[in-house]
Amino acid sequence: MKTQLTDRQQEILNFIQEYVDFNGFPPTYREIGKRFNIVSTFGVKRHIDALIKKGYLNNESNLSRTLSIIDIKSRHVTTLTNNIIEIPVVGRVAAGMPIFAEENIEGSLSIDKNFLGSRTECFGLKVRGDSMINAGILEGDLVIIQPQKEAANGDIIVALLHDEATMKKYLLENGTIYLIPENENYKPIVVENKEEFTIIGKVIGVFRSYN
Amino acid sequence: MKTQLTDRQQEILNFIQEYVDFNGFPPTYREIGKRFNIVSTFGVKRHIDALIKKGYLNNESNLSRTLSIIDIKSRHVTTLTNNIIEIPVVGRVAAGMPIFAEENIEGSLSIDKNFLGSRTECFGLKVRGDSMINAGILEGDLVIIQPQKEAANGDIIVALLHDEATMKKYLLENGTIYLIPENENYKPIVVENKEEFTIIGKVIGVFRSYN
DNA sequence: ATTAGCAGTGAACATAGGAACACTATAATG
DNA sequence: CATTATAGTGTTCCTATGTTCACTGCTAAT
Protein backbone atom coordinates (compact mmCIF):
# COMPACT_ATOMS: atom_id res chain seq x y z
CA MET A 1 0.00 0.00 0.00
CA LYS A 2 1.68 3.06 1.31
CA THR A 3 5.34 2.72 0.73
CA GLN A 4 7.91 3.94 3.17
CA LEU A 5 8.88 7.60 2.79
CA THR A 6 12.40 8.95 2.76
CA ASP A 7 13.27 11.47 5.47
CA ARG A 8 13.07 14.29 2.99
CA GLN A 9 9.71 13.22 1.68
CA GLN A 10 8.36 12.99 5.21
CA GLU A 11 9.63 16.47 6.03
CA ILE A 12 8.01 17.89 2.95
CA LEU A 13 4.73 16.11 3.58
CA ASN A 14 4.70 17.52 7.10
CA PHE A 15 5.36 20.99 5.80
CA ILE A 16 2.49 20.79 3.35
CA GLN A 17 0.19 19.60 6.10
CA GLU A 18 1.19 22.48 8.35
CA TYR A 19 0.92 24.99 5.56
CA VAL A 20 -2.61 23.90 4.70
CA ASP A 21 -3.65 23.89 8.35
CA PHE A 22 -2.52 27.43 8.83
CA ASN A 23 -3.37 29.03 5.52
CA GLY A 24 -6.37 27.10 4.37
CA PHE A 25 -4.79 26.48 1.00
CA PRO A 26 -1.79 24.45 -0.16
CA PRO A 27 1.65 25.86 -0.98
CA THR A 28 3.26 26.25 -4.39
CA TYR A 29 6.33 24.29 -5.36
CA ARG A 30 8.40 27.42 -5.00
CA GLU A 31 7.12 28.05 -1.49
CA ILE A 32 8.04 24.52 -0.52
CA GLY A 33 11.44 25.00 -2.12
CA LYS A 34 11.95 28.23 -0.26
CA ARG A 35 11.24 26.57 3.03
CA PHE A 36 13.75 23.77 2.37
CA ASN A 37 16.26 25.79 0.41
CA ILE A 38 15.60 23.90 -2.78
CA VAL A 39 16.21 26.36 -5.56
CA SER A 40 14.82 24.53 -8.53
CA THR A 41 11.12 23.70 -8.70
CA PHE A 42 12.13 20.52 -10.40
CA GLY A 43 13.79 19.35 -7.23
CA VAL A 44 10.56 19.96 -5.37
CA LYS A 45 8.45 18.42 -8.08
CA ARG A 46 10.22 15.10 -7.81
CA HIS A 47 9.47 14.93 -4.11
CA ILE A 48 5.85 15.75 -4.81
CA ASP A 49 5.62 13.17 -7.57
CA ALA A 50 7.08 10.59 -5.23
CA LEU A 51 4.54 11.47 -2.55
CA ILE A 52 1.73 11.21 -5.08
CA LYS A 53 2.98 7.90 -6.39
CA LYS A 54 3.22 6.54 -2.87
CA GLY A 55 -0.34 7.57 -2.15
CA TYR A 56 0.18 10.39 0.32
CA LEU A 57 -0.77 13.29 -1.90
CA ASN A 58 -3.19 14.24 -4.62
CA ASN A 59 -2.97 17.01 -7.13
CA GLU A 60 -4.58 18.38 -10.23
CA SER A 61 -1.95 18.36 -12.92
CA ASN A 62 -0.92 21.69 -14.34
CA LEU A 63 -2.92 23.69 -11.84
CA SER A 64 -1.41 25.81 -9.12
CA ARG A 65 -1.98 25.18 -5.43
CA THR A 66 -3.95 22.02 -5.91
CA LEU A 67 -1.99 19.68 -3.68
CA SER A 68 -4.16 17.91 -1.18
CA ILE A 69 -3.12 15.48 1.47
CA ILE A 70 -4.67 12.04 1.48
CA ASP A 71 -5.15 11.13 5.09
CA ILE A 72 -8.53 10.14 6.42
CA LYS A 73 -7.58 10.61 10.03
CA SER A 74 -6.26 14.11 9.81
CA ARG A 75 -9.11 15.07 7.53
CA HIS A 76 -11.42 14.78 10.49
CA VAL A 77 -9.38 17.20 12.48
CA THR A 78 -10.45 20.18 10.46
CA THR A 79 -8.55 22.95 12.07
CA LEU A 80 -10.51 24.68 14.72
CA THR A 81 -7.29 26.12 15.96
CA ASN A 82 -7.32 29.80 16.70
CA ASN A 83 -4.99 32.25 15.13
CA ILE A 84 -2.53 32.69 17.93
CA ILE A 85 0.85 31.21 18.54
CA GLU A 86 2.90 31.82 21.60
CA ILE A 87 6.61 31.93 21.07
CA PRO A 88 9.41 32.33 23.58
CA VAL A 89 11.42 35.53 23.65
CA VAL A 90 15.11 35.05 24.13
CA GLY A 91 17.44 37.77 25.30
CA ARG A 92 21.13 38.26 25.88
CA VAL A 93 22.47 35.52 23.71
CA ALA A 94 25.65 35.00 25.67
CA ALA A 95 28.81 33.79 24.06
CA GLY A 96 28.94 30.05 23.73
CA MET A 97 25.73 29.56 25.62
CA PRO A 98 23.10 27.27 24.27
CA ILE A 99 20.61 29.71 22.96
CA PHE A 100 17.62 27.89 24.33
CA ALA A 101 18.95 27.51 27.86
CA GLU A 102 16.15 28.11 30.30
CA GLU A 103 18.07 31.05 31.75
CA ASN A 104 17.86 32.94 28.52
CA ILE A 105 14.14 33.03 28.14
CA GLU A 106 12.89 36.46 28.92
CA GLY A 107 9.23 36.07 28.27
CA SER A 108 6.86 35.15 25.58
CA LEU A 109 4.97 36.80 22.82
CA SER A 110 1.67 35.84 21.32
CA ILE A 111 1.45 36.61 17.67
CA ASP A 112 -0.95 36.19 14.85
CA LYS A 113 -0.36 33.15 12.72
CA ASN A 114 -0.74 35.26 9.64
CA PHE A 115 2.66 36.63 10.45
CA LEU A 116 4.34 33.29 10.79
CA GLY A 117 2.76 31.35 8.02
CA SER A 118 3.39 27.73 8.77
CA ARG A 119 6.56 28.19 10.73
CA THR A 120 5.87 27.36 14.31
CA GLU A 121 9.18 26.72 15.99
CA CYS A 122 10.11 30.34 15.89
CA PHE A 123 11.38 32.41 18.74
CA GLY A 124 11.85 36.08 19.43
CA LEU A 125 15.12 37.90 19.98
CA LYS A 126 15.78 41.38 21.27
CA VAL A 127 18.07 43.32 18.97
CA ARG A 128 21.25 44.82 20.40
CA GLY A 129 23.34 47.19 18.37
CA ASP A 130 22.58 49.18 15.28
CA SER A 131 24.27 47.18 12.57
CA MET A 132 21.06 46.65 10.63
CA ILE A 133 19.44 50.06 10.71
CA ASN A 134 19.37 50.40 6.94
CA ALA A 135 17.25 47.31 6.78
CA GLY A 136 14.80 48.95 9.14
CA ILE A 137 15.88 46.89 12.15
CA LEU A 138 16.67 49.09 15.10
CA GLU A 139 18.11 48.54 18.52
CA GLY A 140 15.48 47.23 20.87
CA ASP A 141 13.35 45.72 18.14
CA LEU A 142 12.09 42.22 18.58
CA VAL A 143 12.97 40.00 15.66
CA ILE A 144 11.27 36.70 14.99
CA ILE A 145 13.67 33.92 14.14
CA GLN A 146 12.90 30.76 12.24
CA PRO A 147 15.54 28.25 13.31
CA GLN A 148 17.44 26.79 10.39
CA LYS A 149 20.93 25.70 9.53
CA GLU A 150 21.05 27.00 6.01
CA ALA A 151 20.47 30.40 4.50
CA ALA A 152 19.94 31.87 1.08
CA ASN A 153 21.74 34.92 -0.24
CA GLY A 154 20.09 38.06 0.99
CA ASP A 155 18.51 36.45 4.03
CA ILE A 156 18.95 38.27 7.27
CA ILE A 157 20.24 35.68 9.66
CA VAL A 158 21.35 35.22 13.23
CA ALA A 159 24.54 33.25 13.50
CA LEU A 160 27.21 32.25 15.93
CA LEU A 161 30.69 33.30 14.87
CA HIS A 162 33.56 32.52 17.25
CA ASP A 163 30.96 31.95 19.95
CA GLU A 164 29.45 35.38 19.42
CA ALA A 165 25.92 35.85 18.19
CA THR A 166 25.36 38.38 15.42
CA MET A 167 22.59 39.36 13.09
CA LYS A 168 23.67 40.15 9.53
CA LYS A 169 22.69 39.77 5.94
CA TYR A 170 24.01 36.50 4.53
CA LEU A 171 25.96 36.34 1.29
CA LEU A 172 27.72 33.34 -0.20
CA GLU A 173 29.96 34.17 -3.13
CA ASN A 174 32.62 31.97 -4.73
CA GLY A 175 32.57 29.70 -1.74
CA THR A 176 33.17 32.51 0.70
CA ILE A 177 30.59 33.52 3.25
CA TYR A 178 30.15 37.21 3.94
CA LEU A 179 28.14 38.66 6.77
CA ILE A 180 26.98 42.06 5.69
CA PRO A 181 25.77 44.72 8.09
CA GLU A 182 23.21 47.23 6.88
CA ASN A 183 25.01 50.26 8.24
CA GLU A 184 27.77 52.27 6.58
CA ASN A 185 29.68 52.39 9.85
CA TYR A 186 30.34 48.68 9.88
CA LYS A 187 32.30 46.54 7.48
CA PRO A 188 31.26 43.21 6.09
CA ILE A 189 32.66 40.23 7.93
CA VAL A 190 34.40 37.49 5.98
CA VAL A 191 33.92 34.09 7.53
CA GLU A 192 37.44 32.69 7.55
CA ASN A 193 36.95 29.59 9.58
CA LYS A 194 33.75 27.80 8.77
CA GLU A 195 34.24 25.53 11.76
CA GLU A 196 33.56 28.49 13.98
CA PHE A 197 30.42 29.53 12.15
CA THR A 198 26.90 28.30 12.79
CA ILE A 199 23.68 29.66 11.43
CA ILE A 200 21.04 29.81 14.11
CA GLY A 201 18.14 30.96 12.04
CA LYS A 202 16.59 33.43 9.72
CA VAL A 203 14.78 36.65 10.53
CA ILE A 204 11.19 36.36 9.36
CA GLY A 205 9.63 39.25 11.19
CA VAL A 206 10.26 42.44 13.10
CA PHE A 207 8.22 43.92 15.90
CA ARG A 208 8.81 47.32 17.41
CA SER A 209 7.03 49.17 20.16
CA TYR A 210 7.36 52.89 20.82
CA ASN A 211 6.99 53.84 24.43
CA MET B 1 -19.08 44.18 12.76
CA LYS B 2 -19.91 41.80 9.98
CA THR B 3 -22.17 43.42 7.50
CA GLN B 4 -25.14 41.61 6.06
CA LEU B 5 -24.50 39.64 2.91
CA THR B 6 -26.60 39.77 -0.23
CA ASP B 7 -28.22 36.51 -1.33
CA ARG B 8 -25.69 36.16 -4.10
CA GLN B 9 -22.76 36.71 -1.79
CA GLN B 10 -24.11 34.13 0.65
CA GLU B 11 -24.50 31.57 -2.14
CA ILE B 12 -20.98 32.15 -3.29
CA LEU B 13 -19.56 31.94 0.21
CA ASN B 14 -21.35 28.63 0.70
CA PHE B 15 -19.97 27.30 -2.55
CA ILE B 16 -16.43 28.22 -1.60
CA GLN B 17 -16.87 26.48 1.74
CA GLU B 18 -18.16 23.33 0.06
CA TYR B 19 -15.45 23.41 -2.54
CA VAL B 20 -12.71 23.65 0.07
CA ASP B 21 -14.25 20.90 2.16
CA PHE B 22 -14.42 18.62 -0.82
CA ASN B 23 -11.16 19.39 -2.59
CA GLY B 24 -8.85 20.55 0.14
CA PHE B 25 -8.03 23.72 -1.74
CA PRO B 26 -10.04 26.76 -2.73
CA PRO B 27 -11.56 27.39 -6.18
CA THR B 28 -10.45 29.87 -8.83
CA TYR B 29 -12.61 32.77 -9.88
CA ARG B 30 -13.43 31.01 -13.11
CA GLU B 31 -14.51 27.87 -11.30
CA ILE B 32 -16.84 29.93 -9.15
CA GLY B 33 -18.13 31.69 -12.23
CA LYS B 34 -18.76 28.38 -13.97
CA ARG B 35 -20.84 27.15 -11.06
CA PHE B 36 -23.03 30.26 -11.09
CA ASN B 37 -23.02 30.93 -14.83
CA ILE B 38 -21.04 34.09 -14.44
CA VAL B 39 -18.99 34.42 -17.58
CA SER B 40 -16.67 37.26 -16.67
CA THR B 41 -14.16 36.82 -13.87
CA PHE B 42 -14.75 40.42 -13.04
CA GLY B 43 -18.27 39.64 -12.00
CA VAL B 44 -16.95 36.99 -9.66
CA LYS B 45 -14.20 39.20 -8.39
CA ARG B 46 -16.63 41.82 -7.21
CA HIS B 47 -18.47 39.27 -5.10
CA ILE B 48 -15.19 38.06 -3.65
CA ASP B 49 -14.04 41.59 -2.90
CA ALA B 50 -17.31 42.26 -1.15
CA LEU B 51 -16.93 39.12 0.96
CA ILE B 52 -13.40 40.11 1.87
CA LYS B 53 -14.42 43.63 2.74
CA LYS B 54 -17.21 42.34 4.93
CA GLY B 55 -14.81 40.09 6.76
CA TYR B 56 -15.93 36.66 5.60
CA LEU B 57 -13.00 35.85 3.38
CA ASN B 58 -9.28 36.32 3.19
CA ASN B 59 -7.04 36.13 0.19
CA GLU B 60 -3.51 36.78 -0.93
CA SER B 61 -3.74 39.38 -3.62
CA ASN B 62 -2.57 38.36 -7.06
CA LEU B 63 -2.09 34.74 -6.16
CA SER B 64 -4.22 31.92 -7.43
CA ARG B 65 -6.36 29.74 -5.21
CA THR B 66 -5.60 31.61 -2.03
CA LEU B 67 -9.10 32.30 -0.82
CA SER B 68 -9.63 31.22 2.76
CA ILE B 69 -12.75 31.45 4.80
CA ILE B 70 -12.58 33.35 8.03
CA ASP B 71 -14.10 31.16 10.67
CA ILE B 72 -16.37 33.05 13.02
CA LYS B 73 -15.86 30.54 15.80
CA SER B 74 -12.11 30.91 15.86
CA ARG B 75 -12.49 34.64 15.79
CA HIS B 76 -14.38 34.51 19.05
CA VAL B 77 -11.74 32.36 20.64
CA THR B 78 -9.07 34.87 19.91
CA THR B 79 -10.90 37.80 21.39
CA LEU B 80 -11.56 35.83 24.55
CA THR B 81 -7.98 34.72 25.00
CA ASN B 82 -6.43 36.40 27.94
CA ASN B 83 -3.67 38.62 26.74
CA ILE B 84 -4.67 38.94 23.13
CA ILE B 85 -6.30 41.87 21.48
CA GLU B 86 -7.70 41.86 18.03
CA ILE B 87 -7.42 45.11 16.17
CA PRO B 88 -8.71 46.05 12.75
CA VAL B 89 -6.26 46.63 9.95
CA VAL B 90 -7.07 49.58 7.78
CA GLY B 91 -5.72 50.06 4.31
CA ARG B 92 -5.81 52.59 1.54
CA VAL B 93 -6.77 55.61 3.55
CA ALA B 94 -8.49 57.45 0.76
CA ALA B 95 -8.57 61.21 0.59
CA GLY B 96 -11.32 62.72 2.67
CA MET B 97 -12.70 59.39 3.69
CA PRO B 98 -13.54 58.70 7.26
CA ILE B 99 -10.70 56.42 8.20
CA PHE B 100 -12.89 53.96 10.03
CA ALA B 101 -15.42 53.55 7.27
CA GLU B 102 -16.31 49.89 7.01
CA GLU B 103 -15.09 49.90 3.46
CA ASN B 104 -11.54 50.52 4.50
CA ILE B 105 -11.09 47.58 6.79
CA GLU B 106 -8.76 45.08 5.20
CA GLY B 107 -8.52 42.49 7.90
CA SER B 108 -7.50 42.11 11.45
CA LEU B 109 -4.46 41.39 13.50
CA SER B 110 -4.22 39.70 16.84
CA ILE B 111 -1.47 41.07 19.01
CA ASP B 112 -0.13 40.62 22.46
CA LYS B 113 -1.33 43.07 25.06
CA ASN B 114 2.25 43.53 26.19
CA PHE B 115 2.76 45.45 23.00
CA LEU B 116 -0.15 47.74 23.49
CA GLY B 117 -0.03 48.37 27.20
CA SER B 118 -3.34 49.82 28.24
CA ARG B 119 -4.17 51.24 24.85
CA THR B 120 -6.92 49.20 23.37
CA GLU B 121 -8.62 51.27 20.72
CA CYS B 122 -5.67 50.96 18.40
CA PHE B 123 -5.79 49.95 14.80
CA GLY B 124 -3.31 48.81 12.20
CA LEU B 125 -2.32 50.59 9.04
CA LYS B 126 -0.37 49.31 6.07
CA VAL B 127 2.45 51.66 5.18
CA ARG B 128 2.61 53.00 1.66
CA GLY B 129 5.61 54.95 0.49
CA ASP B 130 9.10 55.23 1.88
CA SER B 131 9.07 58.58 3.60
CA MET B 132 9.99 57.11 6.97
CA ILE B 133 12.72 54.64 6.11
CA ASN B 134 15.27 56.31 8.34
CA ALA B 135 13.00 55.68 11.26
CA GLY B 136 12.99 52.02 10.37
CA ILE B 137 9.50 52.07 8.92
CA LEU B 138 9.44 50.53 5.47
CA GLU B 139 6.87 50.22 2.76
CA GLY B 140 4.54 47.35 3.50
CA ASP B 141 5.10 47.46 7.24
CA LEU B 142 2.09 47.39 9.48
CA VAL B 143 2.05 50.26 11.94
CA ILE B 144 -0.11 50.28 15.04
CA ILE B 145 -1.89 53.56 15.61
CA GLN B 146 -3.20 54.88 18.90
CA PRO B 147 -5.95 57.34 17.98
CA GLN B 148 -5.41 60.77 19.51
CA LYS B 149 -5.91 64.39 18.59
CA GLU B 150 -2.72 65.77 20.11
CA ALA B 151 0.91 64.92 19.62
CA ALA B 152 4.19 65.65 21.33
CA ASN B 153 7.33 66.76 19.56
CA GLY B 154 9.12 63.80 18.07
CA ASP B 155 6.06 61.58 17.91
CA ILE B 156 5.51 59.78 14.67
CA ILE B 157 1.94 60.52 13.75
CA VAL B 158 -0.63 59.83 11.10
CA ALA B 159 -2.49 62.96 10.10
CA LEU B 160 -4.88 64.29 7.53
CA LEU B 161 -3.54 67.28 5.67
CA HIS B 162 -5.73 68.73 2.93
CA ASP B 163 -7.72 65.52 3.01
CA GLU B 164 -4.62 63.42 2.44
CA ALA B 165 -3.36 60.97 5.01
CA THR B 166 0.35 61.02 5.78
CA MET B 167 2.68 59.56 8.34
CA LYS B 168 5.41 61.92 9.55
CA LYS B 169 7.34 62.98 12.58
CA TYR B 170 5.56 65.79 14.43
CA LEU B 171 7.34 68.98 15.42
CA LEU B 172 5.80 72.14 16.92
CA GLU B 173 8.17 75.12 17.01
CA ASN B 174 7.27 78.77 17.64
CA GLY B 175 3.66 78.05 16.93
CA THR B 176 4.38 76.42 13.59
CA ILE B 177 3.72 72.75 12.95
CA TYR B 178 6.25 70.83 10.87
CA LEU B 179 5.73 67.36 9.48
CA ILE B 180 9.14 65.83 9.05
CA PRO B 181 9.79 62.81 6.86
CA GLU B 182 12.63 60.48 7.77
CA ASN B 183 14.10 60.28 4.30
CA GLU B 184 16.58 62.67 2.70
CA ASN B 185 14.59 62.61 -0.50
CA TYR B 186 11.61 64.33 1.03
CA LYS B 187 11.31 67.79 2.47
CA PRO B 188 9.60 68.73 5.71
CA ILE B 189 6.06 69.98 5.31
CA VAL B 190 5.03 73.22 6.94
CA VAL B 191 1.42 73.21 8.02
CA GLU B 192 0.12 76.54 6.74
CA ASN B 193 -3.55 76.18 7.36
CA LYS B 194 -4.33 74.51 10.64
CA GLU B 195 -7.96 74.20 9.64
CA GLU B 196 -6.92 71.65 7.08
CA PHE B 197 -4.85 69.61 9.51
CA THR B 198 -6.08 66.82 11.75
CA ILE B 199 -4.04 64.41 13.78
CA ILE B 200 -5.45 60.93 13.52
CA GLY B 201 -3.16 59.19 15.91
CA LYS B 202 0.30 58.24 16.99
CA VAL B 203 2.41 55.33 15.85
CA ILE B 204 3.03 53.06 18.81
CA GLY B 205 4.27 49.97 17.07
CA VAL B 206 5.63 48.50 13.89
CA PHE B 207 5.25 44.99 12.59
CA ARG B 208 7.05 43.59 9.61
CA SER B 209 7.02 40.17 8.02
CA TYR B 210 9.62 38.88 5.56
CA ASN B 211 8.30 36.45 3.03
C1' DA C 1 -36.44 61.15 -12.78
C1' DT C 2 -32.12 60.77 -11.07
C1' DT C 3 -28.89 58.77 -8.26
C1' DA C 4 -26.70 54.68 -6.02
C1' DG C 5 -25.97 49.82 -5.40
C1' DC C 6 -25.90 45.27 -7.20
C1' DA C 7 -25.01 42.05 -11.05
C1' DG C 8 -23.04 40.74 -15.35
C1' DT C 9 -20.31 41.03 -20.22
C1' DG C 10 -16.20 40.71 -23.00
C1' DA C 11 -11.78 41.78 -23.82
C1' DA C 12 -6.83 42.75 -22.77
C1' DC C 13 -2.94 42.24 -19.70
C1' DA C 14 0.70 40.61 -16.51
C1' DT C 15 2.58 37.02 -14.07
C1' DA C 16 2.69 33.23 -10.77
C1' DG C 17 3.53 28.84 -10.94
C1' DG C 18 3.63 23.92 -12.98
C1' DA C 19 6.31 21.14 -16.40
C1' DA C 20 10.41 19.64 -18.85
C1' DC C 21 15.24 19.07 -19.83
C1' DA C 22 20.09 18.34 -19.43
C1' DC C 23 23.50 18.16 -15.84
C1' DT C 24 25.88 17.34 -11.31
C1' DA C 25 26.64 14.94 -6.85
C1' DT C 26 26.36 11.54 -3.25
C1' DA C 27 25.26 7.17 -1.12
C1' DA C 28 24.17 2.46 -1.07
C1' DT C 29 24.22 -2.06 -3.19
C1' DG C 30 25.27 -6.25 -5.43
C1' DC D 1 33.39 -1.09 -10.28
C1' DA D 2 29.18 -0.17 -12.46
C1' DT D 3 24.41 0.61 -11.29
C1' DT D 4 20.50 2.53 -9.22
C1' DA D 5 17.99 5.68 -6.26
C1' DT D 6 17.86 10.05 -4.03
C1' DA D 7 18.68 15.01 -4.13
C1' DG D 8 19.60 19.36 -6.23
C1' DT D 9 20.76 23.28 -10.10
C1' DG D 10 19.53 26.55 -13.67
C1' DT D 11 17.03 27.46 -17.40
C1' DT D 12 13.13 27.71 -20.61
C1' DC D 13 8.38 27.34 -21.81
C1' DC D 14 3.38 27.77 -21.49
C1' DT D 15 -0.92 28.73 -19.56
C1' DA D 16 -4.07 29.21 -15.74
C1' DT D 17 -5.49 32.74 -13.10
C1' DG D 18 -5.97 37.33 -10.82
C1' DT D 19 -6.57 42.25 -12.24
C1' DT D 20 -8.49 46.11 -14.68
C1' DC D 21 -11.55 48.66 -17.74
C1' DA D 22 -15.47 50.45 -20.31
C1' DC D 23 -20.35 49.29 -20.84
C1' DT D 24 -25.11 47.39 -20.04
C1' DG D 25 -29.33 46.38 -17.25
C1' DC D 26 -32.08 46.09 -13.11
C1' DT D 27 -33.94 47.65 -8.71
C1' DA D 28 -34.80 50.55 -4.86
C1' DA D 29 -34.61 54.82 -2.70
C1' DT D 30 -34.27 59.85 -2.50
Side-chain angles (χ1 to χ4, degrees):
Chain A
M1 292 282 273
K2 294 210 173 185
T3 325
Q4 201 54 37
L5 295 182
T6 68
D7 291 354
R8 203 57 164 160
Q9 286 163 5
Q10 185 65 57
E11 282 182 321
I12 288 175
L13 184 61
N14 291 343
F15 171 70
I16 296 171
Q17 177 72 68
E18 290 164 22
Y19 188 105
V20 172
D21 285 349
F22 291 124
N23 294 290
F25 49 84
T28 64
Y29 289 8
R30 283 172 179 83
E31 283 170 340
I32 297 169
K34 199 169 172 189
R35 164 56 215 275
F36 291 100
N37 296 311
I38 301 173
V39 176
S40 170
T41 53
F42 187 52
V44 175
K45 183 169 168 35
R46 248 196 331 243
H47 291 303
I48 300 300
D49 287 345
L51 285 165
I52 292 171
K53 192 175 280 176
K54 292 182 181 178
Y56 290 81
L57 273 185
N58 244 348
N59 90 326
E60 303 291 319
S61 278
N62 279 307
L63 298 182
S64 44
R65 294 186 193 274
T66 56
L67 293 175
S68 63
I69 291 176
I70 300 174
D71 187 346
I72 304 101
K73 279 168 292 174
S74 70
R75 181 159 299 185
H76 281 280
V77 194
T78 30
T79 51
L80 288 176
T81 45
N82 60 36
N83 281 328
I84 305 300
I85 291 183
E86 187 160 317
I87 63 172
V89 173
V90 179
R92 295 168 200 275
V93 186
M97 258 221 199
I99 194 168
F100 276 126
E102 195 82 34
E103 300 77 29
N104 284 332
I105 296 188
E106 276 197 353
S108 73
L109 174 72
S110 302
I111 54 179
D112 199 303
K113 270 183 189 164
N114 296 331
F115 260 93
L116 291 185
S118 56
R119 300 155 298 194
T120 57
E121 332 90 303
C122 299
F123 62 94
L125 196 59
K126 280 259 182 70
V127 174
R128 292 163 205 282
D130 58 352
S131 67
M132 297 301 285
I133 51 172
N134 288 345
I137 302 177
L138 314 182
E139 174 136 27
D141 286 0
L142 187 63
V143 290
I144 313 298
I145 312 291
Q146 156 77 16
Q148 56 185 49
K149 299 264 170 60
E150 312 291 325
N153 277 351
D155 283 354
I156 298 175
I157 61 163
V158 171
L160 282 181
L161 184 60
H162 312 308
D163 280 342
E164 297 241 4
T166 41
M167 179 171 63
K168 295 282 183 305
K169 188 184 274 185
Y170 177 87
L171 181 61
L172 174 61
E173 219 173 27
N174 301 326
T176 308
I177 295 172
Y178 301 91
L179 299 179
I180 303 174
E182 288 281 340
N183 182 335
E184 316 76 24
N185 301 324
Y186 297 84
K187 285 184 182 165
I189 296 171
V190 181
V191 177
E192 306 284 357
N193 184 356
K194 289 188 186 167
E195 310 305 295
E196 297 252 349
F197 177 71
T198 320
I199 295 176
I200 294 172
K202 173 183 165 186
V203 174
I204 62 163
V206 179
F207 286 20
R208 180 183 315 139
S209 154
Y210 295 93
N211 271 316
Chain B
M1 288 287 261
K2 293 212 175 184
T3 323
Q4 202 55 38
L5 295 182
T6 68
D7 291 355
R8 203 59 165 157
Q9 285 162 4
Q10 185 64 57
E11 282 182 321
I12 288 175
L13 184 61
N14 292 343
F15 171 69
I16 295 171
Q17 179 72 69
E18 289 164 22
Y19 188 106
V20 172
D21 286 348
F22 186 77
N23 294 289
F25 49 83
T28 64
Y29 289 9
R30 281 170 180 85
E31 283 170 339
I32 297 169
K34 199 169 171 187
R35 162 58 213 278
F36 292 100
N37 296 312
I38 301 173
V39 177
S40 170
T41 54
F42 186 50
V44 175
K45 182 169 169 34
R46 248 192 332 236
H47 290 303
I48 300 300
D49 288 344
L51 286 165
I52 292 170
K53 198 174 277 177
K54 293 182 180 177
Y56 290 81
L57 275 185
N58 251 148
N59 89 325
E60 304 289 317
S61 278
N62 280 308
L63 299 183
S64 42
R65 295 184 192 276
T66 56
L67 294 175
S68 65
I69 290 177
I70 295 173
D71 190 354
I72 306 119
K73 279 168 286 177
S74 71
R75 176 162 292 198
H76 277 281
V77 176
T78 62
T79 11
L80 293 179
T81 315
N82 238 345
N83 51 347
I84 302 298
I85 290 183
E86 184 162 323
I87 63 172
V89 173
V90 180
R92 295 168 202 277
V93 185
M97 258 223 199
I99 195 168
F100 276 126
E102 190 88 31
E103 298 76 47
N104 284 331
I105 296 188
E106 275 199 353
S108 70
L109 174 72
S110 302
I111 55 178
D112 200 304
K113 266 189 192 162
N114 298 332
F115 254 85
L116 292 185
S118 56
R119 301 156 299 194
T120 56
E121 333 90 303
C122 299
F123 62 96
L125 196 58
K126 280 253 183 73
V127 174
R128 293 164 205 281
D130 57 354
S131 66
M132 298 301 286
I133 50 173
N134 288 345
I137 302 176
L138 314 183
E139 174 138 26
D141 286 0
L142 187 64
V143 291
I144 313 298
I145 311 290
Q146 157 76 17
Q148 55 186 47
K149 299 265 171 57
E150 313 292 324
N153 277 351
D155 282 354
I156 298 175
I157 61 165
V158 171
L160 281 182
L161 183 61
H162 310 309
D163 280 344
E164 296 243 4
T166 42
M167 180 171 62
K168 295 284 183 305
K169 188 184 273 185
Y170 177 87
L171 181 61
L172 174 61
E173 219 173 25
N174 302 326
T176 307
I177 295 172
Y178 300 89
L179 298 179
I180 304 174
E182 289 282 343
N183 181 336
E184 317 76 25
N185 301 324
Y186 297 85
K187 286 184 182 163
I189 296 171
V190 181
V191 177
E192 306 284 359
N193 184 356
K194 289 188 187 168
E195 309 304 293
E196 297 252 349
F197 176 72
T198 319
I199 295 177
I200 293 172
K202 173 183 165 186
V203 174
I204 61 162
V206 179
F207 286 19
R208 181 183 314 138
S209 152
Y210 295 94
N211 270 314

